[in-house]
Amino acid sequence: MPKALQVRVLFRGKHLRSRRFRLESLVVGRDSGCDLVLFNVGVSRRHAAIERCDEGYVLRDLGSSNGTRVNGVPITCWTIEDGGTARISRFELVFRYVDDEPDPFPLITAETREFAEDRTMAFVEEA
């Protein structure tokens, strides 16, 4: 299993930001304390979680108001596939399994997560 998960965030098809993670779990949401922050009214404070498992990673909806979708279908838990895409509000999250080789995207680990310069993935005012 690759050691890191790269997450690309798109809004209406436009690439906004990418990050690589090597964590046991991380939270996606609107709250500034989340590991992956998506500022938008359609995103719950703690919207979803990405967790490491034997197969790689899974994406879990945390009881969000607007849900998390894969291929247009609401999910509660989904095993992340390499190249797979999930939708949270108007954001698309594109997942890639990558090695820990040098990469233009910062690697966020359990040791560096508190000190990550900017956990904000996207800031979009409109609903």
Side-chain angles (χ1 to χ4, degrees):
M1 175 176 71
K3 297 177 184 166
L5 181 68
Q6 177 183 312
V7 181
R8 293 182 66 220
V9 176
L10 295 93
F11 182 78
R12 293 187 175 169
K14 180 182 176 189
H15 177 250
L16 299 176
R17 201 139 193 207
S18 296
R19 285 280 193 257
R20 290 183 308 141
F21 295 92
R22 187 182 63 226
L23 299 167
E24 290 303 311
S25 67
L26 61 111
V27 177
V28 181
R30 191 178 71 234
D31 188 272
S32 62
C34 291
D35 300 297
L36 229 127
V37 180
L38 302 173
F39 285 115
N40 182 269
V41 295
V43 178
S44 294
R45 284 184 195 50
R46 293 177 45 88
H47 197 102
I50 298 172
E51 301 166 347
R52 186 183 285 270
C53 66
D54 291 339
E55 297 82 27
Y57 288 89
V58 294
L59 175 66
R60 291 186 196 284
D61 186 86
L62 297 176
S64 65
S65 298
N66 294 315
T68 302
R69 297 177 176 272
V70 174
N71 299 322
V73 178
I75 59 107
T76 55
C77 184
W78 173 64
T79 301
I80 295 173
E81 302 165 357
D82 188 43
T85 302
R87 181 172 290 281
I88 292 178
S89 184
R90 295 185 181 184
F91 296 95
E92 283 183 77
L93 305 180
V94 181
F95 302 99
R96 299 293 307 193
Y97 288 108
V98 297
D99 293 323
D100 285 344
E101 299 171 0
D103 190 292
F105 307 119
L107 177 64
I108 298 173
T109 65
E111 294 78 31
T112 62
R113 101 191 314 167
E114 277 187 60
F115 307 105
E117 288 180 22
D118 185 6
R119 292 185 288 186
T120 302
M121 295 295 289
F123 183 84
V124 181
E125 293 276 350
E126 64 184 76

Short mmCIF file of all heavy atoms in Angstrom, two decimals, residues 72-127:
data_model
loop_
_atom_site.label_atom_id
_atom_site.label_comp_id
_atom_site.label_asym_id
_atom_site.label_seq_id
_atom_site.Cartn_x
_atom_site.Cartn_y
_atom_site.Cartn_z
N GLY A 72 -22.45 10.52 -7.74
CA GLY A 72 -23.81 11.04 -7.57
C GLY A 72 -24.63 10.34 -6.50
O GLY A 72 -25.77 10.72 -6.25
N VAL A 73 -24.07 9.32 -5.87
CA VAL A 73 -24.80 8.53 -4.88
C VAL A 73 -24.31 8.90 -3.47
O VAL A 73 -23.11 8.89 -3.22
CB VAL A 73 -24.59 7.02 -5.13
CG1 VAL A 73 -25.31 6.19 -4.08
CG2 VAL A 73 -25.03 6.65 -6.53
N PRO A 74 -25.23 9.21 -2.55
CA PRO A 74 -24.82 9.50 -1.18
C PRO A 74 -24.14 8.28 -0.56
O PRO A 74 -24.59 7.15 -0.76
CB PRO A 74 -26.12 9.82 -0.46
CG PRO A 74 -27.12 10.10 -1.52
CD PRO A 74 -26.69 9.33 -2.73
N ILE A 75 -23.07 8.51 0.20
CA ILE A 75 -22.37 7.42 0.85
C ILE A 75 -22.29 7.68 2.35
O ILE A 75 -22.35 8.82 2.80
CB ILE A 75 -20.94 7.22 0.28
CG1 ILE A 75 -20.07 8.49 0.43
CG2 ILE A 75 -21.00 6.82 -1.17
CD1 ILE A 75 -19.02 8.42 1.46
N THR A 76 -22.16 6.62 3.10
CA THR A 76 -21.81 6.74 4.51
C THR A 76 -20.35 6.33 4.68
O THR A 76 -19.64 6.88 5.51
CB THR A 76 -22.71 5.89 5.42
OG1 THR A 76 -22.67 4.54 4.97
CG2 THR A 76 -24.13 6.40 5.40
N CYS A 77 -19.89 5.35 3.87
CA CYS A 77 -18.51 4.91 3.91
C CYS A 77 -18.13 4.40 2.52
O CYS A 77 -18.90 3.66 1.89
CB CYS A 77 -18.34 3.80 4.95
SG CYS A 77 -16.64 3.27 5.15
N TRP A 78 -16.96 4.78 2.05
CA TRP A 78 -16.50 4.40 0.71
C TRP A 78 -15.01 4.12 0.76
O TRP A 78 -14.24 4.94 1.27
CB TRP A 78 -16.81 5.54 -0.27
CG TRP A 78 -16.25 5.38 -1.65
CD1 TRP A 78 -16.56 4.41 -2.57
CD2 TRP A 78 -15.29 6.23 -2.29
NE1 TRP A 78 -15.85 4.62 -3.73
CE2 TRP A 78 -15.06 5.73 -3.58
CE3 TRP A 78 -14.61 7.37 -1.89
CZ2 TRP A 78 -14.19 6.32 -4.47
CZ3 TRP A 78 -13.74 7.97 -2.78
CH2 TRP A 78 -13.53 7.45 -4.06
N THR A 79 -14.58 2.98 0.24
CA THR A 79 -13.15 2.68 0.13
C THR A 79 -12.59 3.49 -1.03
O THR A 79 -13.03 3.36 -2.17
CB THR A 79 -12.92 1.17 -0.11
OG1 THR A 79 -13.50 0.45 0.98
CG2 THR A 79 -11.43 0.87 -0.19
N ILE A 80 -11.64 4.36 -0.73
CA ILE A 80 -11.09 5.28 -1.73
C ILE A 80 -10.27 4.51 -2.75
O ILE A 80 -9.37 3.75 -2.40
CB ILE A 80 -10.23 6.37 -1.04
CG1 ILE A 80 -11.13 7.24 -0.15
CG2 ILE A 80 -9.50 7.21 -2.08
CD1 ILE A 80 -10.36 8.24 0.70
N GLU A 81 -10.61 4.71 -4.01
CA GLU A 81 -9.89 4.10 -5.12
C GLU A 81 -8.90 5.10 -5.69
O GLU A 81 -9.17 6.31 -5.69
CB GLU A 81 -10.89 3.68 -6.21
CG GLU A 81 -11.96 2.73 -5.72
CD GLU A 81 -13.12 2.63 -6.68
OE1 GLU A 81 -13.14 3.32 -7.71
OE2 GLU A 81 -14.03 1.83 -6.38
N ASP A 82 -7.77 4.61 -6.19
CA ASP A 82 -6.80 5.50 -6.83
C ASP A 82 -7.48 6.17 -8.02
O ASP A 82 -8.06 5.49 -8.88
CB ASP A 82 -5.58 4.70 -7.29
CG ASP A 82 -4.47 5.59 -7.79
OD1 ASP A 82 -4.20 6.63 -7.15
OD2 ASP A 82 -3.86 5.27 -8.83
N GLY A 83 -7.48 7.48 -8.04
CA GLY A 83 -8.16 8.23 -9.10
C GLY A 83 -9.63 8.47 -8.81
O GLY A 83 -10.31 9.12 -9.60
N GLY A 84 -10.12 7.97 -7.70
CA GLY A 84 -11.53 8.13 -7.34
C GLY A 84 -11.87 9.57 -6.98
O GLY A 84 -11.01 10.35 -6.58
N THR A 85 -13.13 9.92 -7.14
CA THR A 85 -13.61 11.28 -6.88
C THR A 85 -14.83 11.24 -5.99
O THR A 85 -15.74 10.45 -6.20
CB THR A 85 -13.97 11.98 -8.22
OG1 THR A 85 -12.83 11.99 -9.07
CG2 THR A 85 -14.42 13.40 -7.99
N ALA A 86 -14.84 12.12 -5.00
CA ALA A 86 -16.00 12.29 -4.13
C ALA A 86 -16.43 13.75 -4.19
O ALA A 86 -15.62 14.63 -4.51
CB ALA A 86 -15.65 11.89 -2.70
N ARG A 87 -17.68 14.00 -3.86
CA ARG A 87 -18.21 15.37 -3.87
C ARG A 87 -18.72 15.73 -2.49
O ARG A 87 -19.47 14.99 -1.87
CB ARG A 87 -19.34 15.50 -4.88
CG ARG A 87 -19.91 16.91 -4.96
CD ARG A 87 -20.88 17.07 -6.10
NE ARG A 87 -20.26 17.04 -7.39
CZ ARG A 87 -19.61 18.07 -7.96
NH1 ARG A 87 -19.51 19.19 -7.32
NH2 ARG A 87 -19.10 17.96 -9.15
N ILE A 88 -18.25 16.90 -2.02
CA ILE A 88 -18.74 17.50 -0.78
C ILE A 88 -19.21 18.89 -1.16
O ILE A 88 -18.41 19.72 -1.58
CB ILE A 88 -17.63 17.56 0.29
CG1 ILE A 88 -17.26 16.15 0.75
CG2 ILE A 88 -18.07 18.42 1.47
CD1 ILE A 88 -16.15 16.08 1.76
N SER A 89 -20.52 19.11 -1.07
CA SER A 89 -21.12 20.36 -1.53
C SER A 89 -20.74 20.54 -3.00
O SER A 89 -20.94 19.64 -3.80
CB SER A 89 -20.69 21.53 -0.64
OG SER A 89 -21.34 22.72 -1.01
N ARG A 90 -20.14 21.67 -3.34
CA ARG A 90 -19.76 21.91 -4.74
C ARG A 90 -18.28 21.59 -5.00
O ARG A 90 -17.76 21.90 -6.06
CB ARG A 90 -20.05 23.35 -5.11
CG ARG A 90 -21.55 23.62 -5.09
CD ARG A 90 -21.84 24.99 -5.56
NE ARG A 90 -23.27 25.23 -5.49
CZ ARG A 90 -23.83 26.33 -5.91
NH1 ARG A 90 -23.10 27.29 -6.42
NH2 ARG A 90 -25.12 26.48 -5.82
N PHE A 91 -17.65 20.98 -4.02
CA PHE A 91 -16.23 20.61 -4.16
C PHE A 91 -16.09 19.18 -4.63
O PHE A 91 -16.83 18.30 -4.18
CB PHE A 91 -15.51 20.74 -2.80
CG PHE A 91 -15.46 22.14 -2.28
CD1 PHE A 91 -16.40 22.59 -1.39
CD2 PHE A 91 -14.46 23.01 -2.70
CE1 PHE A 91 -16.36 23.88 -0.89
CE2 PHE A 91 -14.41 24.30 -2.20
CZ PHE A 91 -15.36 24.74 -1.31
N GLU A 92 -15.14 18.95 -5.50
CA GLU A 92 -14.76 17.60 -5.88
C GLU A 92 -13.42 17.30 -5.22
O GLU A 92 -12.52 18.14 -5.27
CB GLU A 92 -14.59 17.47 -7.39
CG GLU A 92 -15.88 17.38 -8.14
CD GLU A 92 -15.63 17.18 -9.62
OE1 GLU A 92 -15.30 16.06 -10.02
OE2 GLU A 92 -15.73 18.17 -10.34
N LEU A 93 -13.31 16.13 -4.62
CA LEU A 93 -12.05 15.69 -4.05
C LEU A 93 -11.58 14.54 -4.91
O LEU A 93 -12.28 13.53 -5.05
CB LEU A 93 -12.23 15.22 -2.61
CG LEU A 93 -12.89 16.20 -1.63
CD1 LEU A 93 -12.99 15.57 -0.25
CD2 LEU A 93 -12.12 17.49 -1.57
N VAL A 94 -10.40 14.68 -5.51
CA VAL A 94 -9.82 13.65 -6.36
C VAL A 94 -8.67 13.02 -5.59
O VAL A 94 -7.77 13.72 -5.13
CB VAL A 94 -9.33 14.24 -7.70
CG1 VAL A 94 -8.74 13.14 -8.58
CG2 VAL A 94 -10.46 14.97 -8.42
N PHE A 95 -8.70 11.70 -5.45
CA PHE A 95 -7.74 10.98 -4.61
C PHE A 95 -6.74 10.21 -5.46
O PHE A 95 -7.12 9.56 -6.44
CB PHE A 95 -8.47 9.99 -3.70
CG PHE A 95 -9.49 10.64 -2.81
CD1 PHE A 95 -10.83 10.64 -3.13
CD2 PHE A 95 -9.09 11.26 -1.64
CE1 PHE A 95 -11.77 11.23 -2.30
CE2 PHE A 95 -10.02 11.87 -0.79
CZ PHE A 95 -11.36 11.85 -1.14
N ARG A 96 -5.47 10.28 -5.08
CA ARG A 96 -4.40 9.49 -5.70
C ARG A 96 -3.54 8.90 -4.59
O ARG A 96 -3.21 9.60 -3.64
CB ARG A 96 -3.50 10.36 -6.59
CG ARG A 96 -4.16 11.04 -7.75
CD ARG A 96 -4.64 10.13 -8.80
NE ARG A 96 -3.58 9.24 -9.27
CZ ARG A 96 -3.69 8.50 -10.36
NH1 ARG A 96 -4.77 8.55 -11.09
NH2 ARG A 96 -2.72 7.71 -10.72
N TYR A 97 -3.17 7.64 -4.75
CA TYR A 97 -2.20 7.02 -3.85
C TYR A 97 -0.82 7.33 -4.40
O TYR A 97 -0.55 7.10 -5.57
CB TYR A 97 -2.43 5.51 -3.76
CG TYR A 97 -3.67 5.15 -2.97
CD1 TYR A 97 -4.80 4.65 -3.60
CD2 TYR A 97 -3.69 5.31 -1.60
CE1 TYR A 97 -5.93 4.32 -2.88
CE2 TYR A 97 -4.83 4.98 -0.86
CZ TYR A 97 -5.94 4.49 -1.52
OH TYR A 97 -7.06 4.17 -0.79
N VAL A 98 0.05 7.88 -3.56
CA VAL A 98 1.38 8.30 -4.00
C VAL A 98 2.43 7.82 -3.00
O VAL A 98 2.14 7.58 -1.83
CB VAL A 98 1.48 9.83 -4.17
CG1 VAL A 98 0.54 10.33 -5.26
CG2 VAL A 98 1.17 10.56 -2.85
N ASP A 99 3.66 7.71 -3.48
CA ASP A 99 4.78 7.40 -2.60
C ASP A 99 5.21 8.66 -1.89
O ASP A 99 4.78 9.77 -2.24
CB ASP A 99 5.94 6.81 -3.40
CG ASP A 99 5.58 5.43 -3.97
OD1 ASP A 99 4.88 4.68 -3.27
OD2 ASP A 99 5.99 5.14 -5.10
N ASP A 100 6.07 8.51 -0.91
CA ASP A 100 6.56 9.67 -0.14
C ASP A 100 7.72 10.38 -0.82
O ASP A 100 8.49 11.06 -0.18
CB ASP A 100 6.99 9.23 1.26
CG ASP A 100 5.80 8.95 2.14
OD1 ASP A 100 4.70 9.38 1.79
OD2 ASP A 100 5.99 8.31 3.18
N GLU A 101 7.86 10.19 -2.11
CA GLU A 101 8.95 10.83 -2.84
C GLU A 101 8.75 12.34 -2.84
O GLU A 101 7.63 12.83 -2.63
CB GLU A 101 8.99 10.32 -4.28
CG GLU A 101 9.24 8.83 -4.37
CD GLU A 101 9.07 8.31 -5.77
OE1 GLU A 101 8.75 9.10 -6.69
OE2 GLU A 101 9.25 7.10 -5.95
N PRO A 102 9.82 13.10 -3.11
CA PRO A 102 9.65 14.56 -3.19
C PRO A 102 8.51 14.91 -4.15
O PRO A 102 8.37 14.31 -5.20
CB PRO A 102 11.00 15.04 -3.72
CG PRO A 102 11.95 13.98 -3.30
CD PRO A 102 11.17 12.68 -3.36
N ASP A 103 7.72 15.84 -3.74
CA ASP A 103 6.52 16.20 -4.47
C ASP A 103 6.28 17.70 -4.28
O ASP A 103 6.60 18.23 -3.23
CB ASP A 103 5.35 15.39 -3.88
CG ASP A 103 4.08 15.49 -4.69
OD1 ASP A 103 3.49 16.58 -4.73
OD2 ASP A 103 3.68 14.47 -5.27
N PRO A 104 5.70 18.37 -5.26
CA PRO A 104 5.46 19.81 -5.08
C PRO A 104 4.41 20.12 -4.03
O PRO A 104 4.28 21.25 -3.60
CB PRO A 104 4.98 20.27 -6.46
CG PRO A 104 4.46 19.04 -7.12
CD PRO A 104 5.28 17.89 -6.57
N PHE A 105 3.66 19.12 -3.57
CA PHE A 105 2.63 19.34 -2.58
C PHE A 105 3.17 18.99 -1.20
O PHE A 105 3.78 17.95 -1.03
CB PHE A 105 1.38 18.52 -2.89
CG PHE A 105 0.87 18.72 -4.28
CD1 PHE A 105 0.81 17.67 -5.16
CD2 PHE A 105 0.51 19.98 -4.72
CE1 PHE A 105 0.35 17.86 -6.45
CE2 PHE A 105 0.06 20.18 -6.01
CZ PHE A 105 -0.02 19.11 -6.89
N PRO A 106 2.93 19.81 -0.19
CA PRO A 106 3.45 19.52 1.15
C PRO A 106 2.89 18.20 1.69
O PRO A 106 1.73 17.88 1.47
CB PRO A 106 2.95 20.68 1.99
CG PRO A 106 2.48 21.71 1.04
CD PRO A 106 2.16 21.02 -0.25
N LEU A 107 3.74 17.44 2.38
CA LEU A 107 3.32 16.21 3.03
C LEU A 107 2.95 16.53 4.47
O LEU A 107 3.75 17.11 5.20
CB LEU A 107 4.43 15.17 3.00
CG LEU A 107 4.13 13.84 3.70
CD1 LEU A 107 2.98 13.12 3.00
CD2 LEU A 107 5.37 12.97 3.72
N ILE A 108 1.73 16.20 4.86
CA ILE A 108 1.28 16.47 6.22
C ILE A 108 1.20 15.13 6.95
O ILE A 108 0.51 14.21 6.51
CB ILE A 108 -0.08 17.20 6.22
CG1 ILE A 108 0.09 18.54 5.50
CG2 ILE A 108 -0.58 17.39 7.64
CD1 ILE A 108 -1.19 19.29 5.29
N THR A 109 1.94 15.02 8.04
CA THR A 109 1.97 13.80 8.84
C THR A 109 1.45 14.11 10.23
O THR A 109 1.19 15.28 10.56
CB THR A 109 3.42 13.27 8.96
OG1 THR A 109 4.18 14.23 9.68
CG2 THR A 109 4.03 13.02 7.58
N ALA A 110 1.35 13.09 11.08
CA ALA A 110 0.89 13.31 12.45
C ALA A 110 1.82 14.28 13.17
O ALA A 110 1.39 15.09 13.98
CB ALA A 110 0.82 11.99 13.20
N GLU A 111 3.11 14.22 12.86
CA GLU A 111 4.08 15.09 13.51
C GLU A 111 4.00 16.54 13.03
O GLU A 111 4.30 17.47 13.77
CB GLU A 111 5.51 14.59 13.27
CG GLU A 111 5.82 13.25 13.91
CD GLU A 111 5.25 12.06 13.13
OE1 GLU A 111 5.14 12.14 11.90
OE2 GLU A 111 4.89 11.07 13.78
N THR A 112 3.59 16.76 11.80
CA THR A 112 3.59 18.12 11.25
C THR A 112 2.21 18.74 11.15
O THR A 112 2.09 19.91 10.80
CB THR A 112 4.22 18.14 9.83
OG1 THR A 112 3.43 17.32 8.96
CG2 THR A 112 5.65 17.64 9.86
N ARG A 113 1.15 17.99 11.45
CA ARG A 113 -0.21 18.50 11.21
C ARG A 113 -0.49 19.78 12.00
O ARG A 113 -1.12 20.69 11.50
CB ARG A 113 -1.25 17.43 11.45
CG ARG A 113 -1.95 17.51 12.78
CD ARG A 113 -2.81 16.36 13.20
NE ARG A 113 -3.71 15.81 12.25
CZ ARG A 113 -4.32 14.66 12.43
NH1 ARG A 113 -4.12 13.95 13.51
NH2 ARG A 113 -5.16 14.21 11.54
N GLU A 114 -0.01 19.91 13.25
CA GLU A 114 -0.26 21.12 14.04
C GLU A 114 0.44 22.33 13.45
O GLU A 114 0.02 23.45 13.64
CB GLU A 114 0.25 20.92 15.47
CG GLU A 114 -0.72 20.21 16.36
CD GLU A 114 -0.24 20.21 17.79
OE1 GLU A 114 -0.05 21.32 18.34
OE2 GLU A 114 -0.02 19.11 18.33
N PHE A 115 1.55 22.09 12.76
CA PHE A 115 2.38 23.18 12.29
C PHE A 115 2.19 23.48 10.81
O PHE A 115 2.90 24.30 10.25
CB PHE A 115 3.86 22.87 12.57
CG PHE A 115 4.08 22.53 14.01
CD1 PHE A 115 4.31 21.23 14.40
CD2 PHE A 115 4.03 23.51 14.99
CE1 PHE A 115 4.50 20.89 15.74
CE2 PHE A 115 4.21 23.19 16.33
CZ PHE A 115 4.45 21.89 16.70
N ALA A 116 1.25 22.79 10.16
CA ALA A 116 1.01 23.04 8.74
C ALA A 116 0.65 24.51 8.58
O ALA A 116 -0.20 25.04 9.29
CB ALA A 116 -0.12 22.14 8.23
N GLU A 117 1.35 25.16 7.66
CA GLU A 117 1.17 26.60 7.48
C GLU A 117 -0.27 26.96 7.16
O GLU A 117 -0.80 27.93 7.66
CB GLU A 117 2.06 27.10 6.35
CG GLU A 117 3.51 27.12 6.72
CD GLU A 117 4.36 27.62 5.57
OE1 GLU A 117 3.83 28.31 4.68
OE2 GLU A 117 5.55 27.31 5.57
N ASP A 118 -0.91 26.19 6.30
CA ASP A 118 -2.25 26.54 5.88
C ASP A 118 -3.03 25.28 5.59
O ASP A 118 -2.77 24.61 4.61
CB ASP A 118 -2.18 27.42 4.63
CG ASP A 118 -3.53 27.92 4.19
OD1 ASP A 118 -4.52 27.68 4.91
OD2 ASP A 118 -3.60 28.54 3.13
N ARG A 119 -3.97 24.93 6.47
CA ARG A 119 -4.79 23.75 6.25
C ARG A 119 -6.00 24.08 5.39
O ARG A 119 -6.76 23.20 5.05
CB ARG A 119 -5.22 23.16 7.58
CG ARG A 119 -4.05 22.60 8.35
CD ARG A 119 -4.52 21.92 9.58
NE ARG A 119 -4.95 22.90 10.54
CZ ARG A 119 -5.31 22.64 11.77
NH1 ARG A 119 -5.29 21.42 12.20
NH2 ARG A 119 -5.67 23.59 12.59
N THR A 120 -6.19 25.34 5.05
CA THR A 120 -7.34 25.74 4.26
C THR A 120 -7.14 25.27 2.83
O THR A 120 -6.18 25.64 2.18
CB THR A 120 -7.53 27.26 4.27
OG1 THR A 120 -7.67 27.68 5.61
CG2 THR A 120 -8.74 27.67 3.45
N MET A 121 -8.05 24.45 2.36
CA MET A 121 -7.98 23.95 1.00
C MET A 121 -8.67 24.91 0.04
O MET A 121 -8.24 25.11 -1.06
CB MET A 121 -8.64 22.57 0.89
CG MET A 121 -7.92 21.50 1.68
SD MET A 121 -6.29 21.16 1.05
CE MET A 121 -6.67 20.34 -0.46
N ALA A 122 -9.77 25.48 0.48
CA ALA A 122 -10.53 26.33 -0.42
C ALA A 122 -11.44 27.25 0.37
O ALA A 122 -11.95 26.88 1.42
CB ALA A 122 -11.36 25.48 -1.36
N PHE A 123 -11.61 28.44 -0.13
CA PHE A 123 -12.52 29.39 0.49
C PHE A 123 -13.46 29.87 -0.59
O PHE A 123 -13.05 30.52 -1.55
CB PHE A 123 -11.75 30.57 1.07
CG PHE A 123 -12.63 31.56 1.78
CD1 PHE A 123 -12.99 31.35 3.10
CD2 PHE A 123 -13.12 32.67 1.13
CE1 PHE A 123 -13.84 32.24 3.76
CE2 PHE A 123 -13.94 33.56 1.77
CZ PHE A 123 -14.30 33.34 3.09
N VAL A 124 -14.72 29.51 -0.48
CA VAL A 124 -15.72 29.90 -1.47
C VAL A 124 -16.93 30.44 -0.74
O VAL A 124 -17.52 29.75 0.08
CB VAL A 124 -16.12 28.70 -2.37
CG1 VAL A 124 -17.13 29.12 -3.39
CG2 VAL A 124 -14.88 28.12 -3.06
N GLU A 125 -17.27 31.67 -0.99
CA GLU A 125 -18.35 32.34 -0.27
C GLU A 125 -19.74 31.86 -0.67
O GLU A 125 -20.60 31.75 0.16
CB GLU A 125 -18.27 33.86 -0.54
CG GLU A 125 -17.05 34.51 0.05
CD GLU A 125 -17.23 34.88 1.50
OE1 GLU A 125 -18.36 34.82 2.00
OE2 GLU A 125 -16.25 35.26 2.13
N GLU A 126 -19.96 31.59 -1.94
CA GLU A 126 -21.31 31.32 -2.41
C GLU A 126 -21.82 29.97 -1.94
O GLU A 126 -21.04 29.07 -1.64
CB GLU A 126 -21.39 31.41 -3.92
CG GLU A 126 -20.56 30.36 -4.61
CD GLU A 126 -20.57 30.54 -6.10
OE1 GLU A 126 -19.91 31.43 -6.60
OE2 GLU A 126 -21.27 29.75 -6.75
N ALA A 127 -23.12 29.82 -1.89
CA ALA A 127 -23.74 28.55 -1.46
C ALA A 127 -23.74 27.56 -2.59
O ALA A 127 -23.68 27.87 -3.72
CB ALA A 127 -25.15 28.80 -0.99
#
